[in-house]
Amino acid sequence: MEVDKKLVKILRNIAILLQIKGENVFKANAYANAADIIESMQLDVRDLVRQGKLAEIKGFGEALVKKITEYVETGKISFYEKLTSEIPVELVTITKIPGIGPKKTKLLFETLGIKTIDDLEQACIDNKVAKIKGFSAKSQEIILNSIQHIKAWKGKKHQFACFQEANNIDILLKNIPEVIEHSLVGEMRRYSEIVSQVHFLVSTNENQKVIDYLQQQFNLILDGNVITFSTDEEIDVKIQLTEPKNYIWLLHNLTGSEKYINSFAKYFTETTSQPFNFEQFPLSNKVLKSESELFELLDLQYIPPELRENELAIIRAKEKAIPKLVSERDLKGMIHVHSSWSDGFNTIEQMANASRNLGFEYIVICDHSQTAKYANGLEPERVIQQHKEIDELNSKNIGIKILKGIESDILPDGSLDYDEDILKKFDVVVASVHSHFKMSKNEMTRRIIYAIMSPYTHILGHPTGRLLLSRESYEVDIKSIIEAASDYGKIIELNANPYRLDLPWEHIIYAKEKGVKIAINPDSHDTNSLTDVFYGVKFARKGWLEPNDVVNCLSHEEFLKYINSLGKS
DNA sequence: GCCGTTTTCGGCCCGACTGTTTTCAGTCG
């Protein structure tokens, strides 16, 4: 079963359009909330409607059940159709621009007739936006800047969003008899966090038959041996056909990044005295059977695809110094998960049971701290109550150990969010920035380093604050942060939420170089997203991490021992 | 629009920042 993404999108659009219309915010939120519930609980709405059980789920009242039933039965919601006839649905994209909410979107639409990002860009260029009350020359410039970012992100997708599509195509290719071999290449094979296309390489002797087969399924564009099309999810797919004798060579060359291939080409020429040819294997008398054979032939150690980003991979492969990278099987600890005590959907027990079922030995509950009011952060009294619940659960021996953690806000001055007497009650403190993002680089860096220096901090959470394809990292000197973590012996989080993947892999490499241990944390708010931790593992591999570098790979006893050895005085 | 009652209406997460404002609305996390 897959979540009905079209319905989720409609509900989210209704929420935004109602706000633009000026409706009650809480009414609008009811739709966004329903979309959140469907996604986080992975609801099969069709099944629920058929069984008449949708109304039993909290958040779905009479009106929503009626609309969703209509959707299941007819494929559309007349309320939504009427709404979009009054307010153009394109306006939803305008509200994605930071600093522009529903009210300003409405104002722009009513005064200048702005419907699209392109309209808005032109109006800024024509200096029309600055003249509207509520805007200024400065805000116009900020908007223009944001539009540049959005345009740069256009057509790009989060990697996790492309997995399903890649799988579907993979299965399809397997079923074409004329396909001899096939593989993902490019960004997807390298596990890049953002991808611009799903790219496959196919080995075949009968191009036309493969094309004919695919043509039955998709609306193809054909250019020589290259087939492209877009899916319903607007994911760009490219399928490249090749004769079997060049398959392995192309598999390698299409997988690496430009930087990597440049240094590979240089090395290739130095080693073989042959000019590098991207399309055809230059040692023409030889047909490669595998990538391993290719690396061996060049006296290089095998380079896993995710490391083929730059020259470093070639240097290390020459030295035979590519380590055994961390894998899913190595993880024992599920660190940094939220529960219904703050803004999570599930109880501690549910989160613990789900983690145990995934094979984990221990789980560290890290709900939000008291300042995070919007996330129902825990006041000191509720911390005590929560610890009581954890003690009771642990005494029942449910097959997984539950540790008492907290995700403490890092306050603007760099201090943690509780007094010492509360802080010392936690087994694990993850310290994260959740507010006051717009400090200067110096101030933000100083703030975070101050938090790292606290004897109660064990792990620095989502260190750059980036949200892939929607928010840039806050201004911070990340190298200094990593160096501070190294100096004070603190752990840095690799936030595995696929919208974050924060720390970026380039910095993970630096952290490893500095001897900083990494915690791969799902930051889950429901049981379904606990598996996000596995996206983190794939990303950690891009940062060259070995099991030894990752604290989740420690057993329960080893982890506690390690945590207790940090900073606490 | 949903929820939960000391049931059918009032509250819903709330505080801080930002920019334009001169007392605040809009946005954000």
Side-chain angles (χ1 to χ4, degrees), chain A residues 174-232:
Chain A
K174 271 194 186 111
N175 287 325
I176 304 178
E178 288 78 15
V179 169
I180 300 167
E181 283 184 278
H182 72 279
S183 170
L184 269 175
V185 291
E187 296 157 325
M188 285 293 283
R189 187 161 182 240
R190 296 203 308 276
Y191 289 120
S192 300
E193 62 271 45
I194 297 297
V195 301
S196 46
Q197 65 177 3
V198 171
H199 189 177
F200 276 94
L201 179 67
V202 167
S203 157
T204 181
N205 285 311
E206 303 192 57
N207 285 8
Q208 197 53 48
K209 285 195 177 160
V210 175
I211 291 164
D212 290 346
Y213 192 94
L214 289 169
Q215 217 140 26
Q216 293 165 20
Q217 317 279 330
F218 304 102
N219 194 8
L220 306 182
I221 299 171
L222 194 58
D223 182 8
N225 292 333
V226 178
I227 298 160
T228 51
F229 58 92
S230 275
T231 69
D232 294 342

Side-chain angles (χ1 to χ4, degrees), chain A residues 332 349 352-363 393-402 556:
Chain A
K332 301 191 175 87
E349 188 168 12
N353 285 334
S355 301
R356 181 201 57 218
N357 294 343
L358 288 170
F360 284 74
E361 265 183 39
Y362 57 100
I363 178 171
L393 281 167
N394 276 330
S395 71
K396 286 200 276 178
N397 290 321
I398 59 170
I400 183 167
K401 288 276 181 289
I402 307 171
H556 173 234

Side-chain angles (χ1 to χ4, degrees), chain A residues 109-135:
Chain A
F109 175 55
E110 287 177 346
T111 51
L112 298 175
I114 288 168
K115 281 195 212 168
T116 65
I117 300 266
D118 285 339
D119 292 346
L120 182 56
E121 186 180 26
Q122 195 54 52
C124 287
I125 291 168
D126 296 343
N127 196 31
K128 287 180 183 163
V129 173
K131 288 174 186 153
I132 303 174
K133 193 171 154 57
F135 292 86

Side-chain angles (χ1 to χ4, degrees), chain A residues 84-97:
Chain A
T84 51
S85 72
E86 293 167 25
I87 303 157
V89 69
E90 300 99 302
L91 291 183
V92 170
T93 58
I94 305 277
T95 65
K96 307 285 183 219
I97 298 169

